[in-house]
Amino acid sequence: MNYAGVIEFVREKIADNGRPPNYPFRDRFEHTMRVYRWAIKLQAQIGGDLEIIALAALLHDVGWEEGREHGEVGAEIAVEYLDSIGLEPEKISRIGEIIRIHDDKDTEAELSLECKVVMDADLLDEVGAISVLWDSMATACEEEANYRKAYNRIKSFYTGNRPKIRRCKTEVARLEFDRRLKLLEDFLTQLERELF
Ligand SMILES: [Fe+2]
Ligand SMILES: [Fe+2]
């Protein structure tokens, strides 16, 4: 598989799918690459078909169209693209299915191992050291930004996201999510000591 070619396709698709960024610093292509790397790390421990996982992770966020399901649009684009590069139809349909459902992290549906890995990698990108960066930078974009506002935002994000650990579909991702929550707890405790 020519992954460099897939990555180029993803970069272009994300750049012109018209999805409005909710913050100027939130780069969806960079998010995709982090999800791709974490999906591969998870696969190394959990297993599953590496090609399906890698391609589904790379293509999971290519779709965006006002008024339509994000996963549905992405699945259509991915299926057409993978067909054009000659991937086996059976793999294409499994990848399409993962992309179609990836945003529904609370689904009760029976999921393939590959789907669980991609969903978990996507979920992990919302929490951890990275979310401290996100909250700090989002605060800096507001008017009259200050450290206390950033602290409040990091703290409320931590509180709001802690229960999402139940969305983890694999034990390895659950351990990583837990580790990230502990990092945020320690960070907040230390920040309180330093700031107040
Ligand atoms: Fe998505
Ligand atoms: Fe995503």
Side-chain angles (χ1 to χ4, degrees):
M1 176 56 59
N2 169 19
Y3 286 106
V6 181
I7 290 168
E8 227 13 77
F9 172 79
V10 171
R11 188 199 300 277
E12 280 165 24
K13 266 287 162 219
I14 290 179
D16 41 69
N17 72 7
R19 188 175 191 179
N22 46 6
Y23 287 104
F25 56 85
R26 272 199 82 200
D27 184 316
R28 293 186 198 278
F29 176 70
E30 286 180 9
H31 157 74
T32 293
M33 294 309 288
R34 290 192 298 271
V35 172
Y36 170 58
R37 285 196 300 274
W38 274 91
I40 288 169
K41 280 187 206 178
L42 294 177
Q43 190 276 345
Q45 292 189 63
I46 303 166
D49 184 307
L50 180 58
E51 191 171 49
I52 290 181
I53 289 170
L55 290 171
L58 281 173
L59 291 157
H60 84 282
D61 270 347
V62 289
W64 182 258
E65 233 177 87
E66 195 67 51
R68 283 190 68 201
E69 279 287 328
H70 156 63
E72 205 78 58
V73 183
E76 276 175 22
I77 295 168
V79 164
E80 194 185 314
Y81 170 70
L82 293 171
D83 188 51
S84 79
I85 61 168
L87 191 73
E88 306 96 280
E90 196 255 332
K91 284 199 173 183
I92 294 179
S93 83
R94 289 176 65 194
I95 292 166
E97 185 51 28
I98 296 171
I99 297 172
R100 195 184 61 72
I101 202 172
H102 83 270
D103 256 358
D104 188 5
K105 307 280 194 293
D106 289 318
T107 181
E108 305 270 295
E110 190 72 42
L111 303 172
S112 64
L113 179 57
E114 290 79 10
C115 186
K116 290 178 183 175
V117 167
V118 174
M119 277 186 167
D120 279 356
D122 197 26
L123 183 68
L124 283 172
D125 199 49
E126 286 177 27
V127 71
I130 199 141
S131 62
V132 173
L133 281 183
W134 178 346
D135 288 328
S136 304
M137 292 178 81
T139 306
C141 292
E142 289 171 9
E143 269 173 49
E144 294 173 42
N146 59 44
Y147 286 171
R148 180 177 278 275
K149 282 187 182 170
Y151 160 79
N152 286 338
R153 190 180 174 114
I154 294 164
K155 189 170 179 136
S156 81
F157 177 89
Y158 162 75
T159 313
N161 278 271
R162 196 172 38 189
K164 289 188 186 169
I165 191 166
R166 69 177 147 70
R167 292 184 178 166
C168 290
K169 313 274 182 267
T170 67
E171 194 49 34
V172 177
R174 199 170 295 115
L175 286 171
E176 174 64 23
F177 199 103
D178 190 52
R179 181 193 162 119
R180 294 182 182 205
L181 289 177
K182 291 209 171 76
L183 174 88
L184 289 175
E185 267 165 49
D186 289 347
F187 179 82
L188 283 162
T189 306
Q190 181 65 22
L191 193 57
E192 283 158 13
R193 290 180 64 220
E194 293 180 21
L195 281 186
F196 311 122

